[in-house]
Amino acid sequence: MARRRSGCPGGAVKQAFIFDVFGTLVDWRMGVAAVAGRFFSERKVTVDPYAFAVFWRSRYQPAMDRIRTGRRSYVALDRLHRENLDETITHFDLDAVFDTAARDAFNHAWEQLPAWPDVLPGLEALRPYGLLAPCSNGSIALMSRLARFTGIEWDAIVGADIAQDYKPEARVYLASCAALGLPPECVTMVAAHNDDLTAARQAGLKTAFIPRPMEHGGRRSTDAEPTEDWDFVVDRIGGLAVRHGPATVSARRP
């Protein structure tokens, strides 16, 4: 349910909804495992593709943390994923199986992740109420290709590449709001991860939580339930459109 009333005027250009992507909008575990499964089948590799996907993903936060803490200058997530792929291949003792060309091709797995079933209809239902954009740690290049793959249509792409930093640093949320020409209080961050929303709220944004119990293959995570009194808690993207009501639609055009 809604936790507070928006102080922003109605209409699609007066507010925005920005989204975490990996886990919130797309199933990274299933998508990466599907690509891995095809590669492994072609090369007669017996490694569990889901275990491979989970290990690769586990290197995600440590790689970004070196940038957040200033130990490394900003580089796009595509490059971090590629470096983490090398580490993952070594972990599973597959160095002899994958040459450089195969690794480069494999790295595009992150552009081939399926959207959760409610995402496309939910975003279309929400579109009349505000601008829609990803606020992801993924690069503009990655988000563009992933949008083509899923069929998602964005009004803009913001996030890490805009800020040259990674969430949950406040500058990522604030730079995203600035890029859309809106104050933070007129922007709602939508995520399945409580820590993402905590950082967004601290930066002055509104917040919306949507649980994704299958992100980790059904294993319970710390994000199974909202941990704070978020502005909105919904079970599907379209639920945000319901919360905003039809009055805003009438204000979207003169």
Side-chain angles (χ1 to χ4, degrees):
M1 61 181 292
R3 304 303 185 189
R4 66 181 177 186
R5 185 180 297 276
S6 169
C8 298
V13 298
K14 302 295 181 63
Q15 63 181 325
F17 301 88
I18 60 176
F19 294 81
D20 173 66
V21 175
F22 301 124
T24 300
L25 297 185
V26 297
D27 184 352
W28 60 263
R29 179 179 173 274
M30 181 68 74
V32 172
V35 174
R38 291 193 294 271
F39 269 69
F40 294 168
S41 177
E42 292 168 0
R43 292 161 176 79
K44 310 290 191 234
V45 170
T46 58
V47 170
D48 178 0
Y50 292 97
F52 190 95
V54 169
F55 186 89
W56 193 3
R57 173 72 173 184
S58 76
R59 313 318 305 149
Y60 173 75
Q61 291 294 344
M64 292 188 297
D65 195 51
R66 289 189 285 273
I67 293 169
R68 295 185 190 111
T69 57
R71 288 175 286 160
R72 181 178 184 180
S73 298
Y74 178 81
V75 296
L77 188 62
D78 313 68
R79 181 169 169 184
L80 297 183
H81 275 155
R82 179 64 176 78
E83 293 169 359
N84 295 341
L85 176 59
D86 285 341
E87 184 178 344
T88 304
I89 287 171
T90 296
H91 175 80
F92 285 95
D93 195 25
L94 298 174
D95 288 282
V97 178
F98 292 97
D99 60 17
T100 298
R103 294 173 191 228
D104 290 344
F106 204 141
N107 201 47
H108 290 285
W110 296 95
E111 301 168 359
Q112 304 169 51
L113 311 178
W116 299 111
D118 66 294
V119 169
L120 293 182
L123 290 176
E124 283 308 301
L126 191 60
R127 189 176 303 280
Y129 303 102
L131 299 173
L132 306 179
C135 182
S136 172
N137 285 327
S139 67
I140 292 172
L142 197 166
M143 288 295 104
S144 299
R145 289 168 174 80
L146 181 58
R148 284 290 186 97
F149 180 83
T150 59
I152 293 174
E153 296 183 7
W154 296 119
D155 292 303
I157 295 176
V158 296
D161 260 5
I162 296 292
Q164 296 286 282
D165 206 346
Y166 286 110
K167 297 186 301 178
E169 294 299 304
R171 73 180 71 182
V172 180
Y173 308 98
L174 295 175
S176 297
C177 295
L180 295 172
L182 292 168
E185 62 268 22
C186 292
V187 178
T188 300
M189 180 70 202
V190 185
H193 309 122
N194 286 285
D195 59 349
D196 203 348
L197 297 181
T198 296
R201 171 174 280 177
Q202 290 172 349
L205 285 71
K206 291 184 291 183
T207 53
F209 177 82
I210 177 168
R212 294 300 189 194
M214 294 306 295
E215 178 182 358
H216 300 282
R219 290 186 294 109
R220 187 172 178 82
S221 75
T222 56
D223 292 311
E225 302 288 343
T227 58
E228 295 187 39
D229 187 29
W230 304 123
D231 297 293
F232 302 94
V233 176
V234 296
D235 62 1
R236 66 193 191 285
I237 298 296
L240 282 173
V242 174
R243 298 294 188 269
H244 282 75
T248 311
V249 177
S250 63
R252 62 178 166 157
R253 290 191 180 93

